[in-house]
């Protein structure tokens, strides 16, 4: 309790710190035609050295300005410059809404300018910002761009496969990576067919991928953060998008309820929905068989289903809606809700279904008389998954929770101070029977309370960003102080050095067994409250949390305005990991086991940007190890070498053609080799079981060295060609022809241990997609 009181006192003390800035100009920059915020525009006071850049929401703040009359100038390549008069008063705050008009300058130059400015003023280590334009540049399955297909292109991120594949980020398993949508945790963001996520590309404003060393603003995970923010609906006119391809169709509608007027507010909406019909269309377009044993279902070893009969057995439906209120002084309120559903059906073998519903609100308050910007969010979500197999032993899992967050930001001339607190509460409901019929159940509720502060100070050559997170886990009665630090040194206009590190913790455990080749059943439980022991011993652990520390360094170099490289060596030490004891033999055996681990390596990225050509090349060298107390072994996602190359080129007088190609190469994943077989008897009748008369199941004897074997290398080429037909300024049609796995590479999924049959990932998948925008 003393630790909880200390955390509450910290939060109250931080709230009391609110220095009033003097002589401020703040405001927002919008696209005059759509009302969309302009991110990273340059805003300066003419005739002075005072200037800044807008953030992702188009907001800017300049402090410590002498009283007087000024010209406020906004520049953003691709838009006409804008100059407006602004008067600054002593101890006063001046707010301006600025509307810029798009010009004919190429958008690619805008991207270059924005990135160069961010590189000098932000630490940006292990941080990758992805834009919708970049997602759309990738050759996409079905011609439908999706963040699920783009994330594996980024350095340090590994995907395990086309079917049920999950993302592993710099040695962190999926449960150790937090996926956020407008501040809400999405527990299962990827559909069973791994090409598609629950997120709609057309409504994404930005995606920040924090692969490690993230600051105290984020917590509750020990590896990485993926922060996705959606945009508001069009504030000036009604519009939408319709699309169709062999995999799915979608519709998007948006528009104003109250149109944005210069200097005034607006109300707008955006609605989107998509539905797959691959289970029907694949019967016509694709001839492919699925081995049911790859999904760890309780079928026989030769359970092969021809898709001519049932089609690819994947289906999903995603719905999302958002209502946005923006005031004339930059304050805003967003109300949003979603329903995501996924199904996998193999008649006679397995039926899997999960749903994720949620709703929430987030707001930004820009007071007219206070230097403090206030932000906050309230969210609720409910995730349920069930799996019914041949053995009639259903697995079920659910996690329902809420999050309440509040943060305060003060801007100085060359500094930024942010502080806040967060309350999380979630309940878990999980039921599972292991291969011996022993049941594991959890029905629990837990809360987490956190306070944080972050300070950023920018000098001519140095950017310093210390932060601290204080996390209290109520169910564990555990208080976790987590200091973190980011730093960047601008050695020259072209060369920059950076570093980051910190301590991290979490209280959420995944029910996915990392020994499974593919496990579509993704469930969650909270950390255990029972006694735990250190790996391989009977010595009690010091705490019942999963914890890690990160140490990351980096170098950025700009060869020119078009060419840049980034190199980042990293180390993650997992001081305690907790897993379900799936080898539990007796009821008295512990339900959980602990491990330690480490992940280390180096990531290289190379970017080349021209007005018509975009090139992106990455190489990752990585090592991921676990220690269970008996042996040190590589994880099943320990990919030693991973290479990605992406090229996009636009051609035609009006850039109406776009060709893209992406090639991925990865060395083989580890697996535990087979040593032999035996007849397994379950002794249903105890000592009366007639062992000599029964035919027991075939059991597998695994090699003593865990994950000592390696699968063959993986490589795949995807290509696409897009033609854009422009009818009016706001009406166009994109026709995209794409081929996934162009040269039909037989990439191994695994080899069935019993039949010695090789099972490959998906073959060549050609498709044509249509996207109509209006």
């Amino acid at each position: 309790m003393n630790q909880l009181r200390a955390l509450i006192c910290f939060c109250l003390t931080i709230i009391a710190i609110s220095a009033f800035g003097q002589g401020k100009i703040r405001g927002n920059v919008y696209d005059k035609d759509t009302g969309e915020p302009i991110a990273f525009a340059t805003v300066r006071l003419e005739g002075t050295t005072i200037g800044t850049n807008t953030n992702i929401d188009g907001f800017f703040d300049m402090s410590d300005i002498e009283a007087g009359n000024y010209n406020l100038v906004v520049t953003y390549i691709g838009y006409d410059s804008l100059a407006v008069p602004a008067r600054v008063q002593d101890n006063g705050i001046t707010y301006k809404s600025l509307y810029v008009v798009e010009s004919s300058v190429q958008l690619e130059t805008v991207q270059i300018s924005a990135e160069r400015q961010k590189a000098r003023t932000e630490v940006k280590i292990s941080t990758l910002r992805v834009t919708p334009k970049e997602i759309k540049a990738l050759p996409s399955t079905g011609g439908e761009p999706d963040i699920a297909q783009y994330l594996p292109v980024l350095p340090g991120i590994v995907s395990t496969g086309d079917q049920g594949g999950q993302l592993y980020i710099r040695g962190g398993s999926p449960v150790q990576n937090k996926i956020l949508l407008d501040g809400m945790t999405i527990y299962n963001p990827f559909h069973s067919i791994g090409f598609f996520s629950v997120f709609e590309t057309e409504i994404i404003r930005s995606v920040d991928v924090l692969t490690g060393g993230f600051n105290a603003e984020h917590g509750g995970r020990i590896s990485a953060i993926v922060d996705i923010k959606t945009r508001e609906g069009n504030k000036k006119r009604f519009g939408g998008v319709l699309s169709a391809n062999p995999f799915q169709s979608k519709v998007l509608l948006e528009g104003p309820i109250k149109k944005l007027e210069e200097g005034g507010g607006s109300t707008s909406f955006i609605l989107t929905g998509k539905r797959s019909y691959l289970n029907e269309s694949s019967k016509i377009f694709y001839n492919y068989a699925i081995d049911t044993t790859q999904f760890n279902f309780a079928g026989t070893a030769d359970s092969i289903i021809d898709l001519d009969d049932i089609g690819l057995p994947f289906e999903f439906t995603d719905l999302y809606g958002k209502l946005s209120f923006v005031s004339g002084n930059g304050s805003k309120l967003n109300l949003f809700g979603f329903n995501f559903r996924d199904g996998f059906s193999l008649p006679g073998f397995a039926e899997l279904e999960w749903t994720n519903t949620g709703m929430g609100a987030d707001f930004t308050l820009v007071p007219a008389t206070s230097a403090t910007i206030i932000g906050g969010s309230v969210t609720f979500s409910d995730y349920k998954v069930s799996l019914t197999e041949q053995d009639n032993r259903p697995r079920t899992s659910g996690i329902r929770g809420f999050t309440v967050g509040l943060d305060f930001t003060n801007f100085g001339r060359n500094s930024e101070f942010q502080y806040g607190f967060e309350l999380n509460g979630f309940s878990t409901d999980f039921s599972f029977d292991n291969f011996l019929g022993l049941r594991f159940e959890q029905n629990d509720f837990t809360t987490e309370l956190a306070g944080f502060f972050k300070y950023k100070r920018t000098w001519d050559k140095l950017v310093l960003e210390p932060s601290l997170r204080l996390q209290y886990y109520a169910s564990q009665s555990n208080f976790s102080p987590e200091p973190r630090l980011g730093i960047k040194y601008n050695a020259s206009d072209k060369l920059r050095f950076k570093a980051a590190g910190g301590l991290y913790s979490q209280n959420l455990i995944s029910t996915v067994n990392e020994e499974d080749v593919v496990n579509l059943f993704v469930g969650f439980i909270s950390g255990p409250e029972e006694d735990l022991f250190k790996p391989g011993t009977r010595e009690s652990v010091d705490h019942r949390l999963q914890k890690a520390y990160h140490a990351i360094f980096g170098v950025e170099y700009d060869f020119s305005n078009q060419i840049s490289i980034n190199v980042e060596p990293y180390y993650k030490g997992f001081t305690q990991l907790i897993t379900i004891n799936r080898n539990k033999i007796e009821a008295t055996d512990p339900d959980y086991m602990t491990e330690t681990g480490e992940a280390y390596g180096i990531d290289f990225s190379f970017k080349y940007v021209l007005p018509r050509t975009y090139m992106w090349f990455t190489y990752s060298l990585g090592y991921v190890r676990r220690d269970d107390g008996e042996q040190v072994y590589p994880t099943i996602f320990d990919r030693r070498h991973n290479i990605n190359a992406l090229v996009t080129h636009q051609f035609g007088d009006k850039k109406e053609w776009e060709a893209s190609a992406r090639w991925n190469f990865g060395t083989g994943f580890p697996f535990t080799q087979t040593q032999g077989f035996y007849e397994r008897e379950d002794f249903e009748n105890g000592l009366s079981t007639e062992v000599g008369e029964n035919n027991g199941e075939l059991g597998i004897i695994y090699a003593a060295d865990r994950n000592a074997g390696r699968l063959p290398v993986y490589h795949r080429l995807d290509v696409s060609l897009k033609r854009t037909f422009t009818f009016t300024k706001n009406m166009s049609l994109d026709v995209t022809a794409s081929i996934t796995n162009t040269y039909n590479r037989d990439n191994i999924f695994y080899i069935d241990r019993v039949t010695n049959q090789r099972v490959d990932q998906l073959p060549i998948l050609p498709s044509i997609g249509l996207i109509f925008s209006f």
Side-chain angles (χ1 to χ4, degrees), residues 75-118:
T75 57
Y76 191 54
I77 301 176
Y79 285 77
D80 294 333
S81 298
L82 176 69
V84 298
R87 179 173 176 78
V88 178
Q89 298 178 343
D90 287 331
N91 299 321
I93 299 176
T94 301
Y95 178 86
K96 291 287 185 180
S97 291
L98 306 171
Y99 300 84
V100 292
V101 178
E102 188 173 354
S103 66
S104 58
V105 180
Q106 297 299 327
L107 186 59
E108 291 81 356
T109 310
V110 176
Q111 181 71 12
I112 294 170
S113 301
E115 288 188 359
R116 293 294 178 268
Q117 183 61 31
K118 286 188 297 177

Side-chain angles (χ1 to χ4, degrees), residues 104-398:
S104 58
V105 180
Q106 297 299 327
L107 186 59
E108 291 81 356
T109 310
V110 176
Q111 181 71 12
I112 294 170
S113 301
E115 288 188 359
R116 293 294 178 268
Q117 183 61 31
K118 286 188 297 177
R120 290 189 56 83
T121 58
E122 297 183 9
V123 175
K124 264 193 71 180
I125 188 167
S126 297
T127 301
L128 300 158
R129 173 158 287 166
V130 181
T131 65
K133 179 180 177 62
E134 292 171 331
I135 298 173
K136 294 176 182 179
L138 187 73
S140 50
T141 302
E144 190 68 51
D146 195 287
I147 187 66
Q149 299 171 51
Y150 192 89
L151 287 176
V153 177
L154 302 178
I157 298 182
V158 171
S159 176
T160 55
D162 305 329
Q163 303 169 67
Q166 296 288 324
L167 292 182
Y168 299 84
I169 303 179
R170 280 187 175 173
S173 61
V175 73
Q176 295 160 4
N177 309 318
K178 179 181 282 189
I179 312 293
L180 297 171
L181 177 63
D182 291 328
M184 178 184 295
T185 301
I186 304 298
Y187 291 101
N188 193 354
F190 305 109
H191 288 296
S192 297
I193 184 163
F195 294 128
F196 303 109
S197 71
V198 300
F199 311 114
E200 173 49 53
T201 303
E202 296 290 345
I203 67 172
I204 290 176
R205 173 168 291 163
S206 67
V207 181
D208 286 336
V209 183
L210 315 176
T211 58
F214 45 92
N215 62 46
E217 180 182 0
H218 297 288
R221 295 295 187 276
I222 59 175
S223 183
I225 304 290
V226 179
D227 189 5
I228 300 173
K229 297 186 185 301
T230 62
R231 62 179 177 86
E232 297 95 10
N234 194 303
K235 303 178 181 69
K236 292 293 190 74
R237 66 174 185 85
F238 290 97
V241 176
L242 302 173
S243 74
N245 59 66
F247 293 83
Q248 62 177 315
S249 60
K250 74 175 183 183
V251 58
L252 181 151
L253 299 173
E254 61 178 320
I257 298 174
K258 175 187 175 184
K259 286 189 177 182
L260 177 65
E261 303 290 342
E262 292 194 22
S266 69
T267 303
S268 62
F269 74 92
I270 191 165
L271 298 171
T272 180
K274 59 183 176 183
R275 187 184 188 283
S276 70
Y277 35 77
L278 188 58
N279 55 334
E280 297 297 333
S281 62
S282 59
K283 299 177 185 178
I284 302 172
F285 299 111
Y286 307 115
N287 181 20
Y288 186 55
I290 281 186
D291 181 353
T292 62
T293 62
Q294 66 178 280
F295 296 98
N296 254 19
F297 296 151
T300 60
D302 58 350
S303 303
I304 306 295
I305 292 181
D306 193 330
L307 296 188
D308 286 340
D309 299 325
I310 66 168
L312 281 168
F314 306 99
E315 60 173 325
F316 58 83
T317 303
D318 298 329
L319 302 172
Y320 179 88
K322 185 174 184 178
L323 187 63
S324 302
F325 305 86
V326 179
S327 72
N329 74 337
S331 298
K332 62 180 180 179
L333 170 67
N334 295 308
L335 306 175
F336 54 88
F338 61 81
N339 180 273
F340 306 138
R341 187 186 66 82
D342 185 274
F344 178 92
S345 177
L346 287 176
F349 290 90
E351 298 286 337
L352 178 138
E353 182 176 2
W354 62 255
T355 59
N356 194 0
T357 58
M359 64 185 68
D362 64 69
F363 68 89
T364 301
L365 181 62
V366 184
T369 59
S370 172
T372 303
I373 308 299
I374 304 172
S377 64
V378 179
T379 65
F380 169 83
S381 66
D382 186 9
Y383 170 77
K384 296 177 181 178
V385 59
S386 65
L387 172 63
T388 303
E389 305 177 75
Q390 275 185 324
D391 57 8
N392 291 319
R393 292 177 178 174
R395 299 186 225 176
T396 61
S397 179

Side-chain angles (χ1 to χ4, degrees), residues 136 140 142-145 200 202 240-245 250 722-725 727 732-736 768-774:
K136 294 176 182 179
S140 50
E144 190 68 51
E200 173 49 53
E202 296 290 345
V241 176
L242 302 173
S243 74
N245 59 66
K250 74 175 183 183
K722 181 173 69 176
R723 173 65 160 92
T724 300
F725 299 90
F727 307 114
S732 63
L733 175 67
D734 290 340
V735 181
T736 304
I768 295 180
L770 305 176
I771 300 178
F772 177 66
S773 303
F774 59 94

Side-chain angles (χ1 to χ4, degrees), residues 13 75 189 229 341 506 554 562 613 616 668 685 704:
T13 302
T75 57
K229 297 186 185 301
R341 187 186 66 82
Q506 76 176 70
Q562 292 78 34
T613 304
W616 171 252
N685 299 318

Side-chain angles (χ1 to χ4, degrees), residues 16 20 62 78 95 115-116 148 234 375 390 434 436-437 451 498 557 587 596 601-602 667 710 723 734 748 774:
F20 186 87
M62 293 183 289
Y95 178 86
E115 288 188 359
R116 293 294 178 268
N234 194 303
Q390 275 185 324
N434 72 2
L436 292 177
K498 53 188 178 179
Y557 186 75
T596 60
I602 187 168
T667 51
R710 290 275 173 174
R723 173 65 160 92
D734 290 340
I748 189 171
F774 59 94

Side-chain angles (χ1 to χ4, degrees), residues 718-754:
D718 302 338
V719 298
S720 68
L721 180 65
K722 181 173 69 176
R723 173 65 160 92
T724 300
F725 299 90
T726 302
F727 307 114
T728 67
K729 180 181 179 180
N730 298 315
M731 186 179 295
S732 63
L733 175 67
D734 290 340
V735 181
T736 304
S738 64
I739 304 176
T740 301
N741 195 5
T742 305
Y743 48 78
N744 202 23
R745 160 75 176 178
D746 292 329
N747 286 306
I748 189 171
F749 211 172
Y750 76 106
I751 295 177
D752 186 279
R753 296 180 186 274
V754 177

